[in-house]
Each structure stands twice: as structure tokens, then as C-alpha cells.
Amino acid sequence: RYNDFKALGWLLFSDISYKSGYTVQDVKIRSGQLNIAPRYIDMVDFDIAVGESQMTVGGKLQNYIAHYLSDEVLLGELELSSGYLDLNEILEQAPADATTEVENEAETPEPAKNAYVVPGNLDFDIGMNVDTLLYDKMVLKNVAGSVQIRDRKLIMDDLSADLWKGRISFSGSYDTWDPERPLVDLSLNLDGMLIPEVALGMSVLSHYVPFAEKLGGEMSGNLTLTSLLDTEMEPILSSLTGQGRLNTSSLNVSGINTLDMLASSLNMDKLKSFGTNPVQLAFNIVEGMINVKPFDMNIAGYKTSMSGWTNLDQEINYNMVMSIPADELPGSMVDDFTKQAASAGIPLNLG
């Protein structure tokens, strides 16, 4: 019935500040125009600030009367451009017990945090162009793509950005049907990213490969990840599943304790700091355990094969087979190998 009304009008906005139910930040409309009809609202050049974030929004809203009167789904097709967008601020929500009064303030517990819950009464398609976007520890540049908000999900469609000195593109969803345990499902493509930068910015990588920040070089590849999130928006690692393939440039490696110990035991200092050839590896993740399939690489000039796994407790179990010429091994070690082989009835000549 609302659509049967015949009416047209417009509103101009300037320097308006209000509280939104979707963020704890004040929303400020510096300027904008609404062209209003019963079927739709046209948003024209809305200049909006949310916290420190600045954005210009335009587009069309539909079903707005039913949304206002009876909380039906608000439909929208919008274009958003921004020089600076801080999602850490925008997605911040009030603590669950923010209104609870505690008699003894000295014993007031730390307020519980909530993961961001996507509204269920919105159905938006949003085209995005953002110069700088902050999320968690990540600073993304030149962000472009589209986002849909519907069915309590945030759906990302072919978003791309400059990140960690390379380029990333990704699609996927953030699902809040269970607001206590949101589900994230992502498909990522990485191109030319600096490995130490990725290690510092991606908590999952630093958890499973704690020495990654000591690897000098770039990586590219693709991976899929599915995980539940906690209230801090961090992955619940026991729920993490996925798979992927990664390709690296030649790597510079130094300062890894395990290799330092191996170098000392073999009396081969070249294993403490060395370069490798480009590496290609494949892996899968099942219930938080990452399994790396066998791959070949060249370590300090020695042909090496590796495979293994890392679990939730950061226990690492890798098999490494390295081909080292006998004349480069310590003489005492060669003698030990020869004696052990002879005792087993195996004639061995390492000379």
C-alpha cells in the first residue's frame, strides 16, 4: 500500500550528528540530499564521517517506509568512496554488559566484547573504492570491489587491495547467524607479498610458522580458509580448515634456532644463513592442524626434501632429507656412519 501513495520531495542535509544502532561511533552528515518518493529514496552525494572515517555515499534505498514502520528489510544499491575508512572503529559494538551497574566499582569486571553482528533487516549491494582501509592490524590500500549485506551475512565479491607490499584479492563471507560464533569463509589470492610483512600482519601464519618473519623474500599463491571466530574476531583455531598452494621467490634464511643447532652439530656454518631457490608447496588444514605435502628446495646448495605438520599447540614435526657430500661432513661423523653400517652388515664407503 505504501507504494500507492503519490508524493515527491527532497531534503538537504548539513552538519547533522546522530547515534546509529549499527555502531557505537557518532555518525556525522556534513552534507547530502535525499530525493524522496514512496517507492524509493535517492541518496545524492552524502558526505559522512563515522569516527575518524570519511566517506561519500550515493545510491537508492527501497522499502524504506515498511522498514521504518515495521522493521521490514531495507533494500539498497549504493556506491561508497573514501580516502580513509577504519573498520575497527565502525564495527565496534557496545559491550554486552555495558549497562550493568556494579556496586563495588573496584571489582567491576572487564566488559565482555562482542563480535560484530550483521543486521538482519538490511539487503544492500555496495560498490567500494577506498584509498586506505584499516581492519585489525592490516592497512589495505587502493581497495576496490563490492560487498553485499543480507541474511545476517557480509558477502565480499572480488575485493582487491594492496597489502603487505603486494596485492591481494579475495571473495567470501562473514556469517553471524550465530552471533556468539560467527563463521568466516574466504578464498584468497596473493601476489608478490613480502613474507615478513605477512607474518607480522596475519596471526594465523605467525602461529603456525613462528619463524616466518625471518624469511626474506616474496610469496604468491591461493588458499581457502573456513573458521569460526571468537568475540575478539580472532579465528578459533580448532575449527580452522582450508587448503592452498604457495610459491615463493628465492629466500634468504637466517636466525632460525633449529637450523643453527643443525649447523653447529655438523660444524657447517653455511646452514646458519643461506639462500634458497624458489619454493613451491601445497598444504591443507584440518581441525586446526596444518599438513604440508612433500616439497623440494635447495638449502645452501644442498638438495633437500621436506614435509610435515604443525598442530594447535605449535608442536612441529617435519621430515627433512638433505643430500650433503661426504667430504663436507665432519670426519668423525663419517666414521660413525661407516661403523653403524658395518655393524648392521651393510658395506658402506663414504670416501
Side-chain angles (χ1 to χ4, degrees), residues 55-118:
M55 66 195 83
T56 300
V57 180
K60 180 174 289 188
L61 301 176
Q62 300 182 72
N63 202 42
Y64 68 94
I65 298 176
H67 174 74
Y68 179 76
L69 295 178
S70 56
D71 200 33
E72 291 188 16
V73 175
L74 179 64
L75 307 175
E77 293 183 3
L78 305 173
E79 292 292 329
L80 181 151
S81 61
S82 174
Y84 179 84
L85 200 61
D86 186 349
L87 291 184
N88 295 321
E89 279 191 336
I90 294 173
L91 298 181
E92 182 182 0
Q93 293 191 327
D97 57 354
T99 59
T100 301
E101 293 185 5
V102 180
E103 293 184 3
N104 187 349
E105 292 186 2
E107 299 179 0
T108 301
E110 186 73 19
K113 292 186 178 181
N114 296 324
Y116 182 76
V117 179
V118 179

Side-chain angles (χ1 to χ4, degrees), residues 39-60:
R39 292 179 179 272
Y40 64 85
I41 293 176
D42 274 333
M43 299 179 63
V44 182
D45 295 333
F46 265 64
D47 184 357
I48 301 173
V50 182
E52 297 297 319
S53 301
Q54 315 290 326
M55 66 195 83
T56 300
V57 180
K60 180 174 289 188

Side-chain angles (χ1 to χ4, degrees), residues 326 334 337-338 341-342 346-351:
V334 174
F337 286 158
T338 303
I346 301 174
L348 183 64
N349 182 1
L350 298 179

